[in-house]
Amino acid sequence: MTDAAMSEDNTPKELEAALEKAPETEAVKALPIKVRATDVNVFYGDNHALKDVTIDIPEHRVTAFIGPSGCGKSTFLRCINRMNDTIDICRIEGKIEIDDRDIYDRSIDVVQLRAKVGMVFQKPNPFPKSIYDNIAYGPRIHGMVAGKTDTDEMVEASLKRAGLWAEVKDRLAQPGTSLSGGQQQRLCIARAIAVSPQVILMDEPCSALDPIATARIEELIDELRRNFTIVIVTHSMQQAARVSQKTAFFHLGVLVEQGNTEQIFTNPVDKRTQDYITGRFG
Amino acid sequence: MTDIPANDATNDAEARTRTREAALIRKRYRAERRFRMYGLAAILAALGMLTVLLVSIVSAGLPAFTTTQIALDLNFDAGDIDPGGSRDPAKLASANYRGALLKSLRAEFPGSETRQGRRDALNMISNNVPFVMRDMVLADPFIIGTTQRVWVKSSADIDQLAKGSIDRTLPESDRRVDNRQLAWFEKLEREERIRTVFNSTFFTTADSREPEQAGILGAVIGSALTLIITLLLSFPVGVMAAVYLEEFAPKNRWTDLIEVNINNLAAVPSIVFGLLGLAVFLNFFGLPRSAPVVGGMVLALMTLPTIIIASRAALKAVPPSIREAALGMGASRLQTVTHHVLPLAMPGILTGTIIGMAQALGETAPLLMIGMVAFIVDVPGGFTDPATVLPVQIFLWADAPERAFVERTSAAIMVLLTFLIMMNLFAVLLRKKFERRW
Amino acid sequence: MNSLILVAVLLLLSAIGYQFGRKRALAGTGGEIRGLHSLPGYYGAYVALWCALPALLVIAIWLSAQGGIVDSLLIAGLPASAQTLSTGELSLLLSDIRNLASGDITSRTPSPMVLAAAERYNDLRSTGFAAMVVVGLALGMAGFFFGWRAINPEFRARPRVERIVHWALIVASAIAILTTIGIVMSLLFESIRFFSRVSPVEFLFGLNWSPQTALRAEQVGSTGAFGAVPIFAGTFLITIIAMLVAVPVGLFSAIYMAEYASPRFRAIIKPILEILAGIPTVVYGFFAALTIAPFFRGFGESIGLDVASESALAAGVVMGIMIIPFVSSLSDDVINAVPQSLRDGSFAMGATHSETIRQVIIPAALPGIVGSVLLATSRAIGETMIVVMAAGLASNLTANPLEAVTTVTVQIVTLLVGDQEFDSSKTLAAFALGLVLFVITLCLNVIALSVVRKYREKYD
C-alpha cells in the first residue's frame, strides 16, 4: 500500500455506484471474492477443530460467522491472518487465498500478510502506551510514515475514520488504557485501520461492551465496509443480522450453512441452523 | 496489491515502492534475528560462566582426594622410646619418638646430618609421624628395637611435587622444595617408595594447620548439628505460622503487617541476621560463642520466611472443596486442617523446607558474626561445643596461603555442592512424585 | 544438659497426663465414647497441656534470666575494689571467673578474689538450678492435677485445646514480627551508642575510614576515623558493576526463555540456570579469588593496565554472575504475566516478534522488571562472602573499577570477626554500618515488592 492510496477511498467508482443501487442480496453475488477458503482443516494436537471448511468472502461486505461457542468460528477467523501460527500445536491443512494468492504459501511473509489483514479482538487490548502511540505503532513498524507531521496526519485520519477523534483529540498523550471500554475498542479498530489493511477480522468485538458502545461499533462497522472487507465473529444473532450481508453458520467444527444474511435468518436450509436461530440450542 | 488500474507511470512508482518495502522487510527480519541472537547469547554466557566455575573448582579440587605416601624404614630405637625397658604404657605414651624419628631420617636421607639437612628431611614427611610411631608402639610394644618399613604421609609440599604442581625446572629459590629434597624425592621415586593413595584423612579429621592432615569431618558434623537445630526450630514454627496465616487469620491490619514483614525478612541480607544473633543471642542472652545451637537459631530465623512462603503456597493449592467437605461433615476448623489440608499440602511444604535447608547449609556470613569462624581441631560432640560449618571451613581454607589448601578448599566445595545437589534433587523428586492436579 | 533432662521429665509427665486424662474421661461414661462431649484424645491433650505448658514457660524464662541475675549477684558480692572497675575490665573479670568455674584455662593466674568468686559463682548456679528444678516439677504436678480434676463427660475439652493451639499458631506467626523488631532494636541500640561517640555527620559524610583504634592512648593513629563515604562508594561501585553484568544477561535470558524458547529447551535450560542461584556465595567468593581476579589481572597486564589483585571489577563481575538467575527468573515471571492479548494485538498488526517484545511487552512489563532489578540490587548490596573474599579492605574513594575498594559488608565482617571488645567504637561501628545496610535494603525491598504487587494486580 502506498501513502496516497491509504488516505483515499480505494473503492472503484463504478462499484460504488453499484453498491448504492443494488439491493444487498444481489450485491453479494455481484461483488468480487476477496478471501477464498477451500477445504480448510485445523488440528490442535489431536483435536480436529475445523473440518473441510470452504467459503468465499466477498469484497467490501461484512461477512458474519455465527454458531455456538467452541464451534470453530474464531479458529477459522484466526486462520485468515495466520494468527494460529503463534500456537505451537496448531496445524492447518487446505487452502486460503486472498486475491487469488495462497496465504499459506512459502513465499508469503506473515508480517506483510498481517499488515494486509488486520484484526480486532474480543477484549479491547490497547498497548500500554499513549493513544497517539497506539495508532502510530503499526505505521511506524511498517515504515509507512516518515517524520512527525506525517505521523500526526496518519493518527488523525485513523481516529477520524474510527469515529474517535472528537473524543480524544485533546488527550492523545494519555495512555490508551485510560479510555472507556467502548472507546478502547474503537481505538483498537483505529489502530487496525491505520496500516490500511484490505481485510479486517473482528473476533466478537462487542462481547465485552455495553449496548450503547456496541451500537456505536456496529455503526462504525457499517461505515468501514466501504473501504475494507470485514469478517466478524459474533455470538449475537441480532448483531449478525444488523451488520452483515453474508452469514456463515458453524457447528462443531463444520461450516453448516452459508448465504445471504437475510436468507439465513428467514429461510435456513439446514435443520441445525434453524434450531440455532430459533434458540433451541446455543 | 492494489486494484486500481495502472498506467506506466504508476507501474514505475509501484515498482519503486515494492523495492523499498522489500528492503524494509529485510531490515526488520535482520533486526529480529539479531534480537533473538542476543537472547541466546545471554543464555550461553550464563551457561558458560557456570561451566567455567564448575570446571575450575573441580579441576582444582580433584587432586585433594588423593595423597602421597613415602615408605620409610622407621627405627623404633629402644634407647629413645623405652630407655628403662619397663614397657610401661604410660611412659611409652610420652616417650621421645621425635628422637627415634630423627635417627631413622638420618639413615634414610644422606646429607641430613646438618641443621639445615635435618630440617629438610623433617619437611619431607608430615609432622604427625611421631604420633603414628607412638600409636604403633602402644598397639604392639614388641616392635621396640626393630626397624619397620612404614608408609607415612608425605608433607604437603612433597605431595604437591608428586602431583606435578611444583615445577622441578624452576630455580631453587622460587621453589618450595629445595634441590636436596628434590634429589631425595627422585631417589625414593626410583626405588618405588612413593605411592599415591585415596586421601581418607580428608574425610576423617577436622581442621589442621598442616594441609596434609586437614579434613572436613569436623565441619560436616558441625553443619549437621547446626542444621538439626535449624530444622527443629524453623519447620514447626514455619508450618504453624503458614497454617495460621492461610487458614485462620482474619484479613486485617495485623495479618497484613505480618505478611509484609515476612516478605521483607526474606530479602534482608543474611549478615544482618548475624548481627541480630551477635547482639541478642550472644550478648543479651549470653549463649556460648561458636556453638551450633546459636548458629542453628540464627539460620532458623533466616530460613523461616522461605518455609512460611512455600508452605502458604502449598496450602493455597489445596482446593477449597476439600475444606468444605470436611467442615460439612462436622469437623472443626482445626480438625479440617490437621486431618485433610495439611497432609495434602505436606509434599509442597517439605519441598520448601528442603530448599530452605539447602540455603541454610550454604550460608556463611551470619555464622562469621557469631564466632563459628574459629580454628577448631576437634570434631564437635554436641550442640554447645565450639564448631565450624562446611562453608565457613571453605572460607577459612580459602584464606590460607599454602597451595595445598587451594586444593582442599576446592575439594570441600565439591563436597558441599554434592550435598546441595542431593538435597535439591530430593526436593525435585518429592515434587514430581506428589505433584497433584485437582 | 541438665535442663534438658528436666524438660524430658516434664514431657514424660505430660505423656502420662495424656493417658490419665483419657482414662478419666472414659471412666466417667463407663467406656462409652458417645457419652463424651469431645473425643477422648482431647481430654488427654487437655491434661498434657496443663502439665507441660506452664512449667516449660517458667523454665524458659528462668533460663534466660538466670545468667543476668547470677552475674549481678556475683558482682554485688565482689570486694569493693572490683566494684569500681570499668565495664570492660569487669566483663573480662567475669569471663575469667566463669572460665575458672567451668574448669577452663584463664587468661591470667587466678587471684584469691577470683578463686573465691568462682566458687561463689558455682554455688549460685547450682542453687539456681536446684530451685528451677523444684519450681518446674511442682508446676508440672500442679498442672497435672488441675487438668485432671476438671475432666468429666460434659467437659468441653476440644474447644479448649483448640483455643490453645490457635494461640500457639498466632505466636508462631508473630515470630516474624519479633525477628524484625529484634533486628531493628539490636541495630538501633548499638548504633545509638556508636553515635554518642562519633557524630552521625562524620559517619555519613566523612571521607576517611580507619577504624583500627589502638589499644594504648600513646600509639600512633589511636583515635580512629569513622567517615563511611569511601565504604558507601565502594559498595556502590561493586553493585553497579554487578548490575551491569546481571541485568543485560538476566533480562535477555528471561526474554529468550519466555518468548522464543521451545518448551523442551526451557525445561532443560531453566533448571540449569537456577543452579547458579543455588551455589553458596562462599563458592563464588573462592571462584572470584581463584579464577576471575587472576584472569583480569593477567588480561590487564597483557594490555598494559595495572589491575589490583582484589579489584572491584573481579568482585563485581562474580557478584553479577550470582545475581543473573534472580534477574532472569523474576523477569521471566513478569514477562509471562503480560497478557497474551497484547501479544496478539501486536502480531495482528504485522509486527515481528522482536518488535512486539521491544515495543509492547517490555513497556508493559517494565514496572515488574524494575521491581526485580531493585530486588536484585538489594541482594547485591547485602551480599557478603564474595566481597569479603574478593574485594579488599582498603577504603579507597575511587571510581576506577580496576582498583581495590571495600564495602559495607566487608567492613562489618572485618570489624566483628576475631577478638573483639564489645564496647569499643570499632565494634559499635559495625552495627552502625549494619543499620545503614538494613535501612537501604529494606527501602529497596519495600519499593520493589510494592511495585511488583501493583503490577501483578494490574494483570490479574
Side-chain angles (χ1 to χ4, degrees):
Chain A
M1 273 278 119
T2 60
D3 296 1
M6 175 209 61
S7 48
E8 270 173 28
D9 224 0
N10 56 6
T11 318
K13 285 269 155 33
E14 48 272 49
L15 211 63
E16 184 91 359
L19 248 166
E20 296 306 319
K21 268 185 274 160
E24 310 247 288
T25 46
E26 294 299 314
V28 170
K29 285 202 181 76
L31 281 165
I33 301 303
K34 185 72 184 175
V35 182
R36 167 173 283 151
T38 322
D39 292 330
V40 174
N41 283 284
V42 177
F43 304 87
Y44 288 114
D46 293 335
N47 179 18
H48 196 170
L50 218 53
K51 293 163 194 156
D52 293 327
V53 173
T54 301
I55 187 172
D56 291 342
I57 291 167
E59 194 167 21
H60 297 300
R61 284 290 174 273
V62 179
T63 305
F65 294 168
I66 60 169
S69 41
C71 66
K73 55 191 192 298
S74 288
T75 301
F76 182 60
L77 189 77
R78 291 168 68 95
C79 290
I80 301 174
N81 69 346
R82 292 182 53 177
M83 278 302 280
N84 285 330
D85 286 16
T86 55
I87 301 164
D88 288 332
I89 54 162
C90 181
R91 188 159 56 83
I92 296 156
E93 287 169 7
K95 206 165 166 191
I96 298 178
E97 291 158 306
I98 296 181
D99 293 335
D100 296 326
R101 290 191 65 186
D102 185 356
I103 61 166
Y104 282 92
D105 191 84
R106 289 177 68 94
S107 67
I108 290 289
D109 178 47
V110 69
V111 164
Q112 282 175 309
L113 170 75
R114 287 180 191 152
K116 206 160 125 184
V117 185
M119 188 163 186
V120 175
F121 295 85
Q122 194 167 357
K123 255 181 77 183
N125 56 351
F127 300 135
K129 298 164 175 284
S130 67
I131 295 172
Y132 183 94
D133 286 336
N134 258 286
I135 307 290
Y137 176 69
R140 274 183 189 148
I141 59 173
H142 291 293
M144 289 171 172
V145 285
K148 174 107 174 70
T149 39
D150 215 5
T151 319
D152 286 349
E153 279 169 24
M154 154 80 63
V155 169
E156 185 177 340
S158 306
L159 283 171
K160 275 183 176 156
R161 277 185 169 189
L164 197 59
W165 176 249
E167 292 158 66
V168 301
K169 64 171 187 284
D170 299 325
R171 45 174 181 152
L172 290 175
Q174 285 183 20
T177 43
S178 66
L179 297 172
S180 74
Q183 288 172 324
Q184 285 190 13
Q185 195 61 298
R186 274 181 284 144
L187 178 67
C188 291
I189 294 173
R191 186 175 76 185
I193 59 184
V195 289
S196 329
Q198 297 171 7
V199 182
I200 299 178
L201 310 174
M202 297 188 175
D203 190 356
E204 302 194 24
C206 304
S207 66
L209 304 181
D210 60 77
I212 294 170
T214 303
R216 288 224 51 179
I217 303 265
E218 285 176 5
E219 274 168 39
L220 178 60
I221 292 172
D222 201 50
E223 275 166 43
L224 289 175
R225 79 178 163 90
R226 291 166 184 281
N227 303 325
F228 307 100
T229 303
I230 293 175
V231 186
I232 178 170
V233 163
T234 174
H235 61 270
S236 149
M237 282 168 293
Q238 291 85 341
Q239 186 171 60
R242 281 196 299 266
V243 301
S244 73
Q245 288 81 50
K246 176 170 178 165
T247 297
F249 171 65
F250 286 78
H251 184 231
L252 297 175
V254 178
L255 174 56
V256 175
E257 193 171 350
Q258 53 175 311
N260 290 335
T261 301
E262 214 179 275
Q263 176 244 318
I264 293 273
F265 278 94
T266 52
N267 192 15
V269 178
D270 197 282
K271 172 88 167 47
R272 287 169 291 183
T273 319
Q274 197 179 345
D275 285 349
Y276 182 67
I277 289 166
T278 52
R280 257 179 253 155
F281 66 88
Chain B
M1 198 61 198
T2 167
D3 311 319
I4 303 169
N7 56 35
D8 283 356
T10 51
N11 255 346
D12 216 31
E14 213 173 275
R16 268 205 304 278
T17 315
R18 268 213 198 101
T19 350
R20 200 171 63 94
E21 257 174 32
L24 180 67
I25 283 283
R26 272 201 303 281
K27 198 175 138 215
R28 286 171 65 195
Y29 275 116
R30 269 202 305 279
E32 167 75 26
R33 273 196 301 279
R34 213 162 41 232
F35 192 79
R36 217 183 141 117
M37 279 267 298
Y38 293 151
L40 206 54
I43 289 180
L44 288 179
L47 290 181
M49 288 166 193
L50 178 66
T51 317
V52 170
L53 190 155
L54 291 179
V55 166
S56 72
I57 299 272
V58 170
S59 63
L62 273 183
F65 293 107
T66 59
T67 187
T68 306
Q69 289 185 337
I70 301 176
L72 274 190
D73 291 328
L74 291 178
N75 178 6
F76 291 85
D77 187 78
D80 280 325
I81 295 169
D82 197 14
S86 65
R87 299 290 191 264
D88 174 10
K91 275 195 185 139
L92 289 181
S94 57
N96 181 11
Y97 292 97
R98 199 178 136 86
L101 173 66
L102 287 175
K103 278 199 186 110
S104 317
L105 290 179
R106 261 202 296 281
E108 284 285 356
F109 300 120
S112 64
E113 294 80 16
T114 61
R115 251 181 105 75
Q116 178 60 38
R118 197 170 68 190
R119 194 177 310 139
D120 276 354
L122 274 175
N123 282 343
M124 292 290 286
I125 53 174
S126 170
N127 70 357
N128 78 338
V129 176
F131 301 104
V132 172
M133 292 173 76
R134 183 192 64 191
D135 292 345
M136 287 175 71
V137 168
L138 289 178
D140 178 15
F142 292 106
I143 62 171
I144 294 173
T146 64
T147 298
Q148 307 275 335
R149 175 159 286 198
V150 182
W151 284 102
V152 299
K153 235 193 253 313
S154 75
S155 69
D157 288 337
I158 296 300
D159 185 40
Q160 293 297 307
L161 183 68
K163 285 169 183 164
S165 309
I166 291 179
D167 186 357
R168 299 182 195 189
T169 58
L170 280 178
E172 185 177 15
S173 54
D174 294 355
R175 230 190 293 131
R176 281 189 65 89
V177 178
D178 63 25
N179 283 341
R180 185 163 24 196
Q181 288 176 313
L182 188 58
W184 289 336
F185 177 78
E186 280 168 350
K187 177 169 166 279
L188 287 170
E189 233 176 5
R190 276 194 303 278
E191 293 168 2
E192 292 188 351
R193 284 166 67 185
I194 301 283
R195 71 173 182 187
T196 303
V197 295
F198 175 69
N199 184 4
S200 59
T201 311
F202 186 67
F203 295 99
T204 51
T205 61
D207 199 3
S208 168
R209 300 259 184 241
E210 305 300 327
E212 75 276 5
Q213 290 169 38
I216 54 166
L217 184 67
V220 169
I221 301 285
S223 275
L225 292 173
T226 308
L227 276 198
I228 288 172
I229 296 284
T230 306
L231 183 65
L232 286 181
L233 291 176
S234 63
F235 181 68
V237 174
V239 173
M240 279 162 77
V243 164
Y244 178 72
L245 292 175
E246 204 53 50
E247 304 287 333
F248 293 98
K251 278 270 157 271
N252 59 23
R253 275 227 188 117
W254 169 244
T255 45
D256 274 357
L257 182 69
I258 294 180
E259 239 191 288
V260 170
N261 229 300
I262 289 170
N263 286 335
N264 278 322
L265 272 185
V268 166
S270 61
I271 194 165
V272 172
F273 284 95
L275 290 174
L276 169 78
L278 174 61
V280 174
F281 295 147
L282 296 193
N283 290 326
F284 188 74
F285 285 118
L287 293 171
R289 274 177 80 84
S290 312
V293 63
V294 182
M297 283 159 77
V298 170
L299 292 183
L301 290 183
M302 230 187 72
T303 319
L304 209 51
T306 312
I307 295 183
I308 295 178
I309 292 169
S311 305
R312 290 191 64 179
L315 289 170
K316 210 176 263 173
V318 176
S321 62
I322 287 178
R323 290 181 189 89
E324 282 154 17
L327 289 173
M329 297 284 293
S332 70
R333 278 173 79 190
L334 192 66
Q335 285 172 323
T336 307
V337 171
T338 50
H339 296 171
H340 302 283
V341 180
L342 257 188
L344 287 173
M346 208 31 101
I349 294 176
L350 287 180
T351 309
T353 307
I354 294 170
I355 287 168
M357 288 297 119
Q359 276 172 14
L361 176 59
E363 198 52 69
T364 321
L367 302 179
L368 300 184
M369 299 289 96
I370 55 160
M372 291 189 85
V373 66
F375 171 70
I376 290 154
V377 288
D378 295 321
V379 175
F383 293 108
T384 49
D385 287 357
T388 188
V389 294
L390 205 42
V392 176
Q393 186 70 73
I394 291 167
F395 170 65
L396 285 171
W397 283 351
D399 240 14
E402 288 96 336
R403 223 203 114 79
F405 271 124
V406 171
E407 198 175 285
R408 277 162 180 77
T409 312
S410 307
I413 288 175
M414 286 164 71
V415 173
L416 177 63
L417 290 182
T418 310
F419 278 122
L420 289 177
I421 289 170
M422 279 178 354
M423 286 168 88
N424 281 299
L425 266 188
F426 186 63
V428 168
L429 288 182
L430 198 68
R431 185 159 31 193
K432 279 262 158 63
K433 184 156 162 55
F434 290 97
E435 204 166 48
R436 211 183 290 256
R437 296 244 179 264
W438 274 289
Chain C
M1 258 338 188
N2 287 325
S3 342
L4 277 187
I5 296 173
L6 179 60
V7 170
V9 168
L10 276 171
L11 290 180
L12 187 74
L13 191 66
S14 85
I16 298 170
Y18 179 88
Q19 290 302 329
F20 268 71
R22 230 182 99 90
K23 289 239 173 66
R24 183 174 163 92
L26 282 173
T29 57
E32 280 285 316
I33 293 183
R34 297 181 65 91
L36 292 171
H37 168 269
S38 313
L39 286 171
Y42 282 103
Y43 294 95
Y46 182 74
V47 178
L49 284 173
W50 260 111
C51 189
L53 269 191
L56 288 179
L57 215 62
V58 167
I59 289 174
I61 294 169
W62 194 296
L63 280 177
S64 57
Q66 178 168 290
I69 294 173
V70 167
D71 277 1
S72 56
L73 282 177
L74 190 63
I75 291 167
L78 286 175
S81 64
Q83 306 276 358
T84 54
L85 288 172
S86 75
T87 357
E89 286 169 303
L90 200 59
S91 75
L92 203 62
L93 184 66
L94 274 181
S95 77
D96 268 356
I97 295 172
R98 274 196 217 110
N99 284 341
L100 192 66
S102 58
D104 282 350
I105 317 128
T106 48
S107 55
R108 35 190 165 175
T109 18
S111 66
M113 179 189 85
V114 173
L115 277 174
E119 205 161 301
R120 257 170 46 72
Y121 180 74
N122 275 341
D123 270 0
L124 281 172
R125 274 174 60 98
S126 55
T127 322
F129 181 73
M132 185 179 77
V133 169
V134 170
V135 171
L137 287 180
L139 265 177
M141 294 301 283
F144 186 115
F145 283 111
F146 182 85
W148 188 70
R149 267 171 51 96
I151 287 172
N152 63 57
E154 282 82 49
F155 182 71
R156 303 163 71 83
R158 187 180 52 73
R160 277 161 195 267
V161 171
E162 288 192 348
R163 251 192 112 66
I164 295 171
V165 174
H166 193 236
W167 275 103
L169 294 181
I170 292 177
V171 170
S173 61
I175 284 186
I177 303 255
L178 285 180
T179 309
T180 309
I181 293 175
I183 289 174
V184 171
M185 287 297 183
S186 52
L187 293 180
L188 218 51
F189 278 136
E190 306 300 335
S191 300
I192 287 171
R193 284 171 66 194
F194 175 72
F195 287 130
S196 68
R197 300 176 192 200
V198 177
S199 87
V201 177
E202 191 205 327
F203 177 70
L204 289 176
F205 302 107
L207 298 181
N208 187 12
W209 177 268
S210 74
Q212 298 304 332
T213 46
L215 286 175
R216 289 185 309 279
E218 70 271 15
Q219 272 179 310
V220 186
S222 58
T223 44
F226 292 98
V229 169
I231 303 180
F232 298 148
T235 311
F236 189 65
L237 179 62
I238 289 187
T239 306
I240 295 265
I241 296 171
M243 297 321 282
L244 283 180
V245 173
V247 171
V249 177
L251 197 54
F252 270 106
S253 321
I255 289 171
Y256 191 87
M257 286 289 184
E259 294 291 327
Y260 288 113
S262 67
R264 242 180 86 84
F265 183 85
R266 216 180 132 85
I268 296 169
I269 299 297
K270 207 172 150 77
I272 295 182
L273 279 188
E274 258 148 40
I275 293 178
L276 280 174
I279 291 177
T281 53
V282 68
V283 177
Y284 282 107
F286 182 64
F287 175 63
L290 177 77
T291 311
I292 300 294
F295 169 76
F296 279 133
R297 212 176 141 70
F299 185 74
E301 260 168 25
S302 71
I303 57 169
L305 277 176
D306 187 25
V307 183
S309 61
E310 297 187 318
S311 63
L313 187 63
V317 166
V318 172
M319 196 189 277
I321 297 175
M322 186 198 84
I323 304 281
I324 288 171
F326 290 97
V327 178
S328 76
S329 72
L330 285 169
S331 308
D332 191 8
D333 289 352
V334 165
I335 290 171
N336 276 322
V338 173
Q340 184 63 29
S341 68
L342 287 184
R343 281 185 195 96
D344 285 350
S346 177
F347 286 137
M349 302 286 300
T352 63
H353 207 146
S354 65
E355 285 159 353
T356 305
I357 293 167
R358 273 182 310 196
Q359 302 194 30
V360 177
I361 296 177
I362 298 292
L366 200 59
I369 291 173
V370 168
S372 66
V373 169
L374 285 182
L375 275 183
T377 310
S378 124
R379 200 161 268 267
I381 292 176
E383 171 44 43
T384 308
M385 293 320 291
I386 294 177
V387 281
V388 167
M389 295 167 83
L393 291 174
S395 54
N396 289 329
L397 188 55
T398 173
N400 180 357
L402 304 181
E403 280 182 46
V405 295
T406 190
T407 73
V408 173
T409 48
V410 172
Q411 288 304 319
I412 294 177
V413 169
T414 326
L415 294 175
L416 288 183
V417 167
D419 295 326
Q420 38 160 305
E421 331 141 56
F422 200 65
D423 243 7
S424 75
S425 311
K426 190 182 139 190
T427 317
L428 294 176
F431 282 89
L433 287 175
L435 184 66
V436 172
L437 180 67
F438 180 72
V439 169
I440 290 177
T441 52
L442 186 74
C443 289
L444 282 174
N445 295 339
V446 169
I447 296 170
L449 289 173
S450 71
V451 165
V452 170
R453 191 163 57 187
K454 283 231 181 71
Y455 170 78
R456 286 270 149 73
E457 278 163 7
K458 192 167 133 198
Y459 288 127
D460 267 353

